Amino acid sequence: MADVGNVKSYAVARVAGDLMSPANRRARLTVFCYHQVLTGFDNLRPGEPDEQQFLNDIRLIDRVFNVLPFGEAVKRLESGSLPGRAASITFDDGYANNHELAAPILLSAGVPATFFIAGGAIDRGVMWNDLVIESVASAGSASQATKLSATLAELKYRPMAERWGAAERMYRNAIGPDLPRLMMTREMVADLANRGFEIGGHTLNHPILAALPDDAARSEIEGCAAWIHDVTGQTPKSFAYPNGVPGRDYQPKHAVMARDAGFEAAASTEWSVARPGTNSLNIPRVGPWWRQGRTLTAGLCRGYLKSYIAR
Ligand SMILES: [Zn+2]
């Protein structure tokens, strides 16, 4: 966007933020949701930033917002002790590029972040949707993008074993017998924790919780808390619902399960900004809107206004 990198636009955004997201009792919390940082543009993953774009994002966020780890930020939203223009940066799933590309940028900027990890995907090395993406890409047909989104949308809501079976078959037929490792290793997750990043849960196998029987949903949520404790030695306090659309991908009962498993804050993928009184287990998030067709200040105001109008 034209206004990114422009010192005046940061100043305007900060003034707007000071008005709509002051410190303490009337504070708002803007939570950014990332998945991957790539070495270069990938037309199959067009929404994911490359290193340079991510560096620009972090500089921008750091100039406009006061960034806190997700768990701490939600706790301070609840107690009315957030700084003005508060924000958190979160990553879902646990891709290796979070450790290789994102973490060094965050560390050198001195900006905290929270990584929500699907432990089963770490142990398997890959997410099922990436197997589908790689398989369809190797076919190289003109209609590949259409076919890809149709396949992903269809498989997403199938039972887990069926979804994984279909994705693995697709990959082995299209590419070969050995599945790639795209996710972090356990050692990388532990390294992020040692470097001071918050590690949160994202279930074990990334199911749509609302599509699971209750006992299976509960063991996915409890299992990821135990997995993180195993790997990092720390008890996770933050969680993100897979796919994350409230009412469709998870229900209020899943928030209760998360709380029972020891999580104190949980993130959805509803596009909004949290306000005083927002349920700590239903914290909405936003994407970096300045790369998605809105100017810095317009997107910022849209999020804050939504938090004043909602409910
Ligand atoms: Zn996810």
Side-chain angles (χ1 to χ4, degrees):
M1 292 298 97
D3 72 343
V4 171
N6 177 333
V7 173
K8 208 167 93 186
S9 73
Y10 296 139
V12 172
R14 279 197 296 265
V15 169
D18 284 337
L19 289 170
M20 288 183 277
S21 183
N24 304 324
R25 295 272 154 216
R26 287 169 51 225
R28 265 58 188 164
L29 173 62
T30 304
V31 183
F32 291 96
C33 178
Y34 285 93
H35 290 83
Q36 302 199 56
V37 174
L38 307 175
T39 50
F41 179 75
D42 180 348
N43 62 0
L44 295 166
R45 300 171 178 90
E48 308 293 352
D50 64 21
E51 283 175 275
Q52 188 57 49
Q53 287 174 317
F54 183 68
L55 178 61
N56 292 343
D57 282 4
I58 294 306
R59 284 183 177 152
L60 181 153
I61 292 169
D62 192 32
R63 277 178 193 151
V64 174
F65 295 94
N66 292 303
V67 186
L68 302 164
F70 177 77
E72 182 190 337
V74 173
K75 199 174 271 183
R76 290 176 64 173
L77 175 70
E78 216 168 0
S79 65
S81 60
L82 274 177
R85 292 178 270 114
S88 295
I89 296 169
T90 66
F91 278 82
D92 286 12
D93 301 339
Y95 283 93
N97 54 41
N98 294 180
H99 183 266
E100 288 158 12
L101 304 178
I105 290 172
L106 291 160
L107 285 168
S108 71
V111 173
T114 299
F115 295 88
F116 295 115
I117 306 293
I122 300 292
D123 291 341
R124 205 183 265 115
V126 66
M127 302 265 291
W128 68 272
N129 50 303
D130 287 306
L131 295 180
V132 176
I133 291 173
E134 300 294 335
S135 307
V136 177
S138 78
S141 77
S143 58
Q144 101 190 3
T146 324
K147 190 178 160 194
L148 173 65
S149 55
T151 309
L152 284 176
E154 196 207 319
L155 281 177
K156 204 180 255 187
Y157 291 89
R158 296 280 191 77
M160 198 152 50
E162 189 185 331
R163 180 167 14 120
W164 265 100
E168 287 187 24
R169 262 194 314 282
M170 263 180 101
Y171 188 89
R172 294 204 158 100
N173 287 335
I175 294 171
D178 299 325
L179 302 185
R181 171 168 278 283
L182 298 177
M183 311 311 286
M184 283 189 262
T185 59
R186 286 185 170 222
E187 291 69 28
M188 290 176 186
V189 175
D191 186 51
L192 288 183
N194 287 335
R195 287 170 189 273
F197 289 111
E198 180 182 22
I199 304 298
H202 195 41
T203 72
L204 283 173
N205 298 296
H206 209 275
I208 303 292
L209 290 167
L212 288 186
D214 286 354
D215 54 346
R218 184 169 313 188
S219 74
E220 282 282 346
I221 295 168
E222 288 172 354
C224 81
W227 189 97
I228 290 167
H229 188 268
D230 242 28
V231 169
T232 68
Q234 296 167 11
T235 303
K237 296 291 178 198
S238 299
F239 182 79
Y241 305 96
N243 224 48
V245 178
R248 187 190 76 186
D249 297 330
Y250 70 96
Q251 307 288 349
K253 65 183 175 184
H254 300 113
V256 174
M257 290 178 196
R259 195 191 57 206
D260 290 347
F263 294 110
E264 295 170 356
S268 73
T269 56
E270 182 195 358
W271 202 105
S272 192
V273 166
R275 63 175 186 177
T278 299
N279 184 333
S280 296
L281 296 166
N282 272 309
I283 300 294
R285 292 187 283 180
V286 298
W289 60 79
W290 50 88
R291 286 195 280 106
Q292 299 162 351
R294 271 196 182 83
T295 65
L296 174 58
T297 302
L300 180 109
C301 291
R302 178 174 176 252
Y304 283 142
L305 286 174
K306 225 178 149 186
S307 81
Y308 280 88
I309 292 163
R311 284 146 294 179

